[in-house]
C-alpha cells in the first residue's frame, strides 16, 4: 500500500470510529482538545473486552500473579526515586526561521549520495540507530559539504554520503535552531489549597511505580513466593511533545502493566518467557501474526532503568510502531525505593536463607494502542458486496449479535423483540428495525458485530430464524429457542 493509501486507511478508521460510536475527539463542541479522546458506547465495550482478556490471561489464569489498583496521585518522592523527575525529559529545540518547536530527535540531517547525487534526509534520532529514509527535500540548497558519513543511499544503495547540514527543522528544512532545553513530560498539579512548589505533585506517567511502592504490602498480604507478579490497569498521563496518529500517542492513556519479580539470576530467562507469552496474547485476541514483530532496543534507546527491552510492534497504516515494551528492569526500581524511603523492600528467600532485592521483568502494554491495533487489523473493504467490515474476533466485538425483524409487520417485530429480550441478559446485543434489511446488515458489519439474527415469515410458521455470519455472509436456519446457545458456541 502506498503512503497515501495508508493515510487514507487511517482517515477511514478515524471516521468509522466516530460514526459508529467508538472514539470521539475530547471536548469536540469547543473545538476539541488535541490528543485527548472520549470513548463512545462501542468504544467502552471494546476497551472492557481488551482489559478483561488481558486480566484473565495475566492474573486470573495464573497462580502466581495478583492484581492491585493504586492511586493516580502519589508522593512526589516516588518520582524522584524512580528517576522520572531527572530523566523523563525530552530535549526540545525551536526553529528560529519558522518557529516550529520539536524534539531534537525529530530533527533531520540532509544528505547527498556521493554516487548518484540523490538528496535525502534522515531523522537525527535514527542516525546510528535504525535508519529510515523519508522523501527528499526537493528544495534542498546544498551548502558546503560538512562531513562524510556511512549512510546507505535509498536509491543506489551506496554506503557513503555527504552530510549537507547540521540538524535541521523537519518542517522548513532550516538548520537554524536554538540550543536544546530539557522538557519534563510529567503533568504537574498542586496538592491542597496552596500552589507553591512545596505542594507540587504529578499525575503518574506510568502505573508501574504504584506497584513498586506497594511491593511489601502486596507480597506480605498475598504471602507471595518468588517468582510472582503484580498487575495493574490504569490511566497514565504524559505531556507528550509530539502527538500524532489518533489514539496511538495521546496525553491521557491507559496502561496494562505487569511487574514480575524474580531472583536476579533468573531475570534473563523470565524476560524471554514473557516476550513469547505476550506475543502469543496478541495473536489470541485475533491480531494477524503477519502484522506483529518483535524488536530489541539498541543500547542507545534503552530507558534509564532497563538492562534489556523488546518491543512488540504492530504494522499500523503509518508504519511499524510499538504496542508494548517488555523490559528487564533488574533490581533498579526496588533498590531506588529502598534507598529513597529507607524501607525494607526485600524478599526473604527461605531456601537460601538470605534477604534479596528481587529483579523485575515488566510487560507494559497500552489499552489505547491495543484498541487501535484491533480496529486497524479488523478493517477492510468488501468491494464485491459494497460494504465496510470490521472483522473483530467475536471475543473482542462490542456487540455479539443484532436481532432484526425482516419487515415491520405481521408480528415479526414482536417475535424479534422477544428473542432480543431473551438474549439481552446474557450477551451484549442490539435490536434494530429501522431502514432496509440491507442497510441494517451494513451498519452491523461496520460496527464489527459478528452475527445477525433475522426473523422472517418462515419464523412465524416454524419458529426458525436465520443467523448470518459477518465475514463469510453465510446464513443458516436454526430454531429460535437455540439462538443463545448457538451464538455462545460460535463466540467460544
Ligand atoms: N512502565 C514502563 C512504561 O511505561 P513505556 O514504553 O513508556 O514504558 C509502555 O510505555 C506502553 O504504554 C507503550 O508501549 C504504549 O502502549 C503505552 N503508551 C506509552 N505512552 C503512550 C502515549 N503517549 N499514548 C498512548 N499510549 C502510550
Amino acid at each position: 500500500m502506498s503512503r497515501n493509501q495508508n493515510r487514507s486507511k487511517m482517515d477511514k478508521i478515524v471516521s468509522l470510529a466516530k460514526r459508529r460510536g467508538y472514539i470521539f475527539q475530547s471536548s469536540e463542541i469547543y473545538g476539541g482538545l488535541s490528543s485527548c479522546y472520549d470513548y463512545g458506547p462501542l468504544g467502552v465495550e471494546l476497551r472492557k473486552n481488551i482489559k478483561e482478556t488481558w486480566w484473565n490471561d495475566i492474573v486470573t489464569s495464573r497462580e502466581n500473579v495478583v492484581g492491585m489498583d493504586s492511586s493516580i496521585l502519589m508522593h512526589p518522592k516516588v518520582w524522584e526515586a524512580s528517576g522520572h523527575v531527572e530523566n523523563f525529559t525530552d530535549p526540545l529545540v525551536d526553529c528560529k526561521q519558522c518557529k516550529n518547536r520539536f524534539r531534537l530527535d525529530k530533527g533531520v540531517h540532509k544528505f547527498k549520495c556521493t554516487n548518484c547525487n540523490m538528496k535525502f534526509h534522515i531523522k537525527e534520532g535514527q542516525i546510528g540507530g535504525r535508519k529510515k529514509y523519508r522523501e527528499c527535500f526537493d528544495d534542498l540548497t546544498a551548502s558546503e559539504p560538512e562531513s562524510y558519513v556511512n549512510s546507505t543511499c535509498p536509491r543506489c544503495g551506496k554506503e557513503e554520503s555527504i552530510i549537507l547540514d547540521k540538524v535541521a527543522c523537519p518542517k522548513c528544512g532550516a538548520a537554524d535552531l536554538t540550543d536544546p532545553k530539557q522538557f519534563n513530560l510529567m503533568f504537574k498539579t498542586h496538592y491542597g489549597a496552596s500552589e507553591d512548589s512545596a505542594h507540587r505533585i504529578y499525575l503518574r506517567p506510568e502505573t508501574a511505580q504504584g506497584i513498586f511502592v506497594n511491593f511489601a504490602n502486596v507480597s506480605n498480604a498475598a504471602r507471595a513466593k518468588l517468582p510472582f507478579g503484580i498487575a495493574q490497569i490504569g490511566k497514565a498521563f504524559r505531556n507528550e511533545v509530539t502527538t500524532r496518529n489518533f489514539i496511538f500517542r495521546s496525553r491521557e492513556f491507559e496502561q496494562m502493566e505487569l511487574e514480575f519479580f524474580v531472583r536476579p539470576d533468573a531475570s534473563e530467562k523470565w524476560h524471554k518467557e514473557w516476550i513469547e507469552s505476550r506475543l502469543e496474547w496478541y495473536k489470541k485476541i485475533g491480531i494477524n501474526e503477519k502484522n506483529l514483530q518483535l524488536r530489541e532496543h539498541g543500547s542507545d534507546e534503552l530507558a534509564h532503568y532497563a538492562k534489556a527491552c523488546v518491543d512488540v510492534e504492530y504494522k499500523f497504516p503509518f508504519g511499524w510502531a510499538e504496542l508494548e515494551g517488555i523490559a528487564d528492569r533488574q533490581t533498579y526500581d526496588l533498590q531506588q525505593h529502598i534507598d529513597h524511603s529507607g524501607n525494607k523492600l526485600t524478599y526473604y528467600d527461605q531456601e537460601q536463607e538470605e534477604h534479596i532485592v528481587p529483579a523485575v521483568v515488566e510487560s507494559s502494554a497500552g489499552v489505547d494502542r491495543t484498541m487501535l491495533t484491533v480496529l486497524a487489523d479488523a478493517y477492510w473493504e468488501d468491494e464485491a458486496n459494497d460494504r465496510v467490515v470490521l472483522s473483530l474476533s467475536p471475543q473482542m466485538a462490542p456487540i455479539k449479535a443484532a436481532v432484526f425483524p425482516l419487515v415491520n409487520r405481521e408480528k415479526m417485530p414482536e417475535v424479534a423483540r422477544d428473542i432480543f429480550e431473551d438474549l439481552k441478559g446474557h450477551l451484549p446485543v442490539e435490536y434494530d428495525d429501522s431502514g432496509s434489511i440491507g442497510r441494517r446488515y451494513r451498519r452491523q458489519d461496520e460496527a464489527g458485530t459478528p452475527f445477525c439474527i433475522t426473523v422472517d415469515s418462515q419464523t412465524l410458521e416454524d419458529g426458525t430464524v436465520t443467523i448470518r455470519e459477518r465475514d463469510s455472509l453465510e446464513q443458516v436456519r436454526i430454531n429460535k429457542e437455540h439462538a443463545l446457545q448457538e451464538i455462545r458456541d460460535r463466540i467460544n
Side-chain angles (χ1 to χ4, degrees), residues 206 208 238 240 247-250 253 255 257 305 322-325 329 362 364-366 369:
E206 61 171 16
R238 296 182 189 178
E240 299 280 4
I247 57 170
F248 177 81
R249 179 170 285 111
S250 46
F253 56 97
Q255 289 186 314
E257 297 203 297
Y305 48 73
E322 173 189 341
L323 244 182
E324 135 161 25
R329 295 174 76 126
E362 172 185 79
S364 178
R369 284 195 194 172

Side-chain angles (χ1 to χ4, degrees), residues 146-416:
E146 203 171 73
S147 59
Y148 289 87
V149 289
N150 284 342
S151 163
T152 315
C153 172
R155 185 198 281 159
C156 71
K158 179 148 192 216
E159 271 202 11
E160 196 180 70
S161 311
I162 301 168
I163 190 163
L164 293 177
D165 240 330
K166 296 197 180 79
V167 186
C169 172
K171 196 166 164 194
C172 73
D176 190 9
L177 309 176
T178 58
D179 288 340
K181 280 203 194 87
Q182 292 298 333
F183 171 76
N184 195 294
L185 300 184
M186 283 194 290
F187 273 100
K188 296 169 194 69
T189 184
H190 291 94
Y191 190 70
S194 192
E195 295 203 354
D196 60 27
S197 61
H199 292 82
R200 174 186 288 173
I201 55 168
Y202 304 97
L203 300 189
R204 67 180 177 200
E206 61 171 16
T207 64
Q209 297 303 323
I211 297 178
F212 298 130
V213 299
N214 277 290
F215 172 78
N217 285 339
V218 177
S219 57
N220 290 337
R223 291 181 295 128
K225 292 209 167 20
L226 288 184
F228 73 91
I230 306 176
Q232 164 158 236
I233 299 179
K235 288 262 180 168
F237 303 82
R238 296 182 189 178
N239 203 357
E240 299 280 4
V241 179
T242 35
T243 54
R244 245 179 311 141
N245 297 325
F246 199 28
I247 57 170
F248 177 81
R249 179 170 285 111
S250 46
R251 296 197 168 98
E252 173 178 341
F253 56 97
E254 205 163 359
Q255 289 186 314
M256 306 183 281
E257 297 203 297
L258 164 72
E259 306 303 327
F260 197 73
F261 300 95
V262 300
R263 287 190 59 87
D265 54 12
S267 73
E268 240 177 87
K269 168 183 153 263
W270 282 106
H271 189 216
K272 284 201 186 88
E273 292 209 9
W274 278 109
I275 293 165
E276 288 309 312
S277 171
R278 294 301 302 140
L279 184 63
E280 279 311 302
W281 183 77
Y282 288 102
K283 296 181 199 164
K284 261 194 267 173
I285 65 168
I287 308 301
N288 185 341
E289 63 178 294
K290 277 197 267 167
N291 295 329
L292 290 166
Q293 72 178 17
L294 295 173
R295 187 180 73 79
E296 191 166 354
H297 284 211
S299 54
D300 54 338
E301 307 173 74
L302 283 174
H304 59 275
Y305 48 73
K307 177 190 159 206
C309 187
V310 169
D311 285 346
V312 178
E313 292 191 331
Y314 178 73
K315 195 175 181 188
F316 290 99
F318 49 85
W320 288 99
E322 173 189 341
L323 244 182
E324 135 161 25
I326 304 143
D328 180 350
R329 295 174 76 126
Q330 304 227 292
T331 56
Y332 175 84
D333 304 278
L334 290 181
Q335 191 58 57
Q336 286 291 106
H337 289 301
I338 293 170
D339 296 347
H340 282 73
S341 73
N343 272 281
K344 207 171 141 197
L345 304 178
T346 51
Y347 171 85
Y348 183 66
D349 186 330
Q350 287 176 336
E351 278 166 31
Q352 311 275 332
E353 295 188 347
E354 58 173 354
H355 287 277
I356 58 163
V357 178
V360 116
V361 171
E362 172 185 79
S363 143
S364 178
V367 176
D368 312 78
R369 284 195 194 172
T370 307
M371 183 170 180
L372 185 58
T373 300
V374 167
L375 292 174
D377 212 59
Y379 180 97
W380 62 288
E381 290 165 12
D382 179 0
E383 280 168 17
N385 295 293
D386 190 23
R387 62 184 189 137
V388 169
V389 190
L390 270 191
S391 288
L392 299 173
S393 75
Q395 189 193 14
M396 284 293 128
I399 308 163
K400 307 298 179 197
V403 187
F404 307 147
L406 181 64
V407 288
N408 271 326
R409 51 188 150 81
E410 298 164 29
K411 289 217 171 334
M412 286 182 217
E414 288 85 342
V415 177

